[in-house]
Amino acid sequence: MHLLRSRHVLFAASWASVAHAKHNTSKTHDFDALQYVNPLIGTINGGHAFAGATLPFGMAKSVADVNSADNKQGGFASDDSDITGFSHMHDSGTGGGASLGNFPIFPQSGCPGDSINNCKFTKIDRASQRIYGSVEARPGYFAISLNTSIHTEMTVTNHTSLYRFRFPDNQTSNDTYPNQTSAALPLSPLFLVDLTDLPDSRINGSIAVDPTSGRITGNGTFQPSFGVGSYNAYFCADFSGAAIRDTGVWMNNRAGSEPKHLSVTADGVNNPPLPAGAWTQFHAPTSKNEVLVRVGLSFISEAKACQNAELEIPDFGFEKTLAAAEDAWRSKLSVVEIDAGGISDDIQTVFWSGMYKSMMSPQDYTGENMLWESDEPYYDSYYCIWDSFRSLHPLLTLTDPATQTRMIRSLIDIYRSEEHTSELQSPPL
């Protein structure tokens, strides 16, 4: 019997392979549970687990999205699929249809021939191979390198994703564009934002780019993975690290510097909807060949998305943001203590990774509920609550009673608000 201790309760978890372990009240001060967390567990063979950067129960969930059937919910899969973008909200470990993955960004070192329309804009055309062995995933952090010589790192706050893109020192190989005659790309980084999501469910959307600041803002109406209806999402992307060269919008694989805004609606013909978005291009980065991208998120408005980003990451401080994310995870996991005497690192990794993944969902959307006004907490993404009520939520009752209490209050508030809405909409008898 393997003993596990939380702040409030001591309980037993059965491990056949560790039946000889004994409880030890002493705690190694230099122990770091984060060293035993592997977010990549469950990212292949239908696991749909989210492997990217997030806070405990966080709304912002950043990762590289792939063009694989295993990209449902989690976005990333540990297979040989290509990277199509980096998006900022995901679910984890569920079945059903894909969801979220809204407004992916995608970097390119430059455009062949230094012509904007020689860059690649659609998911299919821009898909790039990963460099194997370059993936690094740990709590609050995800990194990967593309075969375009671009290295990407990401971390998060609760409503904001922060990316750090490192570009090659000089002109790069043209491996991604084998049909182009030029053997190298000019170093003039271009970032696009795509008005899409993982399942290509966009009903309508709009996007705009500020030619002075390079800020890209936009919104879209998307379909959920379960149920009926639709939802609205908003984003606000800012850049730091290089001087702006040009801005514009794109549709399909055609881009232009004018106009600076674009609206798209479902036409009943194109399914999936036509690819569309905006872009900002830079001169060569001035420091470390890096460009940072901060993406604020909201379900309320574009202004709220910008406000979230500016309040949570005012200075684009990547290391500071990452350190705060890691501290948040250490705090959450510190309520559990195990005696690992005689236990292999593999078993400890399974245990701590399970604890880590128990704090992915439901997600804390407090302050982002556009359906009704309330002072109560608001959590969403309660997938399969008919199962999690007998597994996840009892665990949280023991290890994180404060958060579990907020979730219960959220469910009660949802019931009260939905019941009231239903009464208002009911026809008179």
Side-chain angles (χ1 to χ4, degrees), residues 76-276:
F76 179 79
S78 295
D79 53 21
D80 60 355
S81 53
D82 294 338
I83 307 301
T84 62
F86 301 89
S87 65
H88 337 288
M89 292 189 293
H90 296 85
D91 281 308
S92 184
T94 76
S99 69
L100 298 176
N102 316 78
F103 314 119
I105 58 177
F106 191 82
Q108 296 172 66
S109 295
C111 304
D114 207 19
S115 171
I116 192 69
N117 277 309
N118 285 338
C119 270
K120 304 298 182 182
F121 290 90
T122 69
K123 280 185 186 179
I124 293 175
D125 292 320
R126 71 188 186 229
S128 298
Q129 294 177 353
R130 70 192 75 183
I131 295 179
Y132 289 97
S134 68
V135 174
E136 183 179 356
R138 61 180 192 263
Y141 178 85
F142 185 89
I144 191 170
S145 294
L146 306 182
N147 70 336
T148 55
S149 301
I150 300 173
H151 182 66
T152 304
E153 302 171 277
M154 58 208 75
T155 187
V156 293
T157 55
N158 198 45
H159 306 93
T160 308
S161 297
L162 184 63
Y163 300 87
R164 183 163 62 188
F165 293 93
R166 182 169 299 139
F167 294 90
D169 290 337
N170 297 304
Q171 293 182 333
T172 60
S173 170
N174 200 17
D175 294 339
T176 307
Y177 309 107
N179 295 326
Q180 299 290 337
T181 57
S182 173
L185 302 176
L187 183 54
S188 183
L190 179 140
F191 290 87
L192 65 85
V193 180
D194 193 339
L195 284 173
T196 190
D197 60 347
L198 284 176
D200 291 318
S201 76
R202 187 195 73 226
I203 299 170
N204 55 59
S206 65
I207 197 165
V209 57
D210 186 306
T212 302
S213 67
R215 167 178 280 184
I216 300 176
T217 56
N219 64 82
T221 302
F222 302 93
Q223 296 175 354
S225 59
F226 287 95
V228 297
S230 62
Y231 69 94
N232 297 322
Y234 305 84
F235 79 93
C236 177
D238 292 300
F239 305 88
S240 177
I244 296 170
R245 178 179 174 184
D246 203 358
T247 59
V249 296
W250 60 274
M251 182 175 286
N252 284 324
N253 249 330
R254 302 298 295 176
S257 298
E258 294 293 340
K260 303 296 186 184
H261 57 84
L262 179 71
S263 295
V264 287
T265 59
D267 56 15
V269 176
N270 293 285
N271 188 22
L274 290 174

Side-chain angles (χ1 to χ4, degrees), residues 377-423:
Y378 181 67
Y379 285 72
D380 211 326
S381 293
Y382 285 98
Y383 276 100
C384 302
I385 198 170
W386 51 86
D387 289 328
S388 63
F389 87 94
R390 56 184 148 206
S391 54
L392 172 64
H393 293 287
L395 175 64
L396 295 179
T397 299
L398 295 169
T399 61
D400 195 353
T403 297
Q404 175 66 6
T405 299
R406 286 171 54 83
M407 293 176 186
I408 296 299
R409 288 169 56 190
S410 170
L411 288 170
I412 293 172
D413 191 52
I414 291 171
Y415 165 73
R416 288 172 174 166
S417 300
E418 292 287 354
E419 181 185 43
H420 178 64
T421 301
S422 176
E423 291 175 351

Side-chain angles (χ1 to χ4, degrees), residues 273-290:
L274 290 174
W279 56 272
T280 296
Q281 189 176 27
F282 298 91
H283 296 288
T286 56
S287 176
K288 301 180 182 178
N289 278 355
E290 294 177 352

